[in-house]
Amino acid sequence: MLLDPILTTTLPAHLTAWCGLDAFIHAFEAATNRNTHRGAQFYAHEALRLLTASLETAVRDPGNLQARADVLLGSCYAGIAIDNCGTAVAHNISHALAGLASVHHGLATVLGFETTLGWLVDVDTADLNAAARACGLPGASDLPAFVSRLMDRCGVVRALPTGFEAFGAADLAAEMRAQENQPMRRSTIRPIGDADIDRFAASIMALPKTL
């Protein structure tokens, strides 16, 4: 495996942000879902620390090789974590969006993450709090505001591609319920009811379709 930050310096800022936040969510979901364990959390928590500290700099200053190296290493560690534990609700949404129209996976995932995070942290588990502390936060209840601010600082636009104009909330909800997306639904630490799916789908599909 080659992790060379020099190869990433010409990546546009929005792609750096989308990919880096996707890695952050990989680490977070692996560290907090029903399948998590201490071995995966060893990598996931270090990934969260690296990405929290370095992603904004990597987006704003693409020539900063230390920041980009830390983002790459964090992404690698997050990948190890999800190989062990899989993902959760944010990826259920992102995979469902991709079943409707063309969308960058990182963007779709971070939109799903922001939409569901406040709901998720209400369960206030030890794993959620440990992940929050890996981000430098006191506890899980601080995560939603922290993630939204990080998205703002990284320049993430809350919008979907124009190809989604043909679809509505019911279409996305149907994809979220599709058989291939159920493992991510089941692994989420808080049970996801059909009413939750409908609410999340409505929030996502209410976003502007301007990209």
Side-chain angles (χ1 to χ4, degrees), residues 156-179:
V156 175
V157 177
R158 278 77 159 181
L160 291 167
T162 56
F164 284 87
E165 291 174 344
F167 302 100
D171 300 303
L172 179 58
E175 288 290 333
M176 291 174 66
R177 294 185 177 99
Q179 186 62 38

Side-chain angles (χ1 to χ4, degrees), residues 3 13 19 23 28 37-38 46-48 67 81 87 96 109 115 125 128 133 137 147-148 151 161-163 166 199:
L3 300 176
C19 293
F28 182 87
H37 53 74
R38 289 179 62 190
E46 183 60 19
L48 291 173
T87 55
T109 304
T115 296
T125 67
L128 285 165
R133 290 192 295 272
L137 302 173
V147 167
S148 292
M151 291 169 63
T162 56
R199 185 171 69 257

Side-chain angles (χ1 to χ4, degrees), residues 92 95-97 99-100 170-178 180-182:
N92 172 280
H95 285 233
L97 283 167
L100 296 178
D171 300 303
L172 179 58
E175 288 290 333
M176 291 174 66
R177 294 185 177 99
E180 61 268 23
N181 292 325
Q182 292 316 289

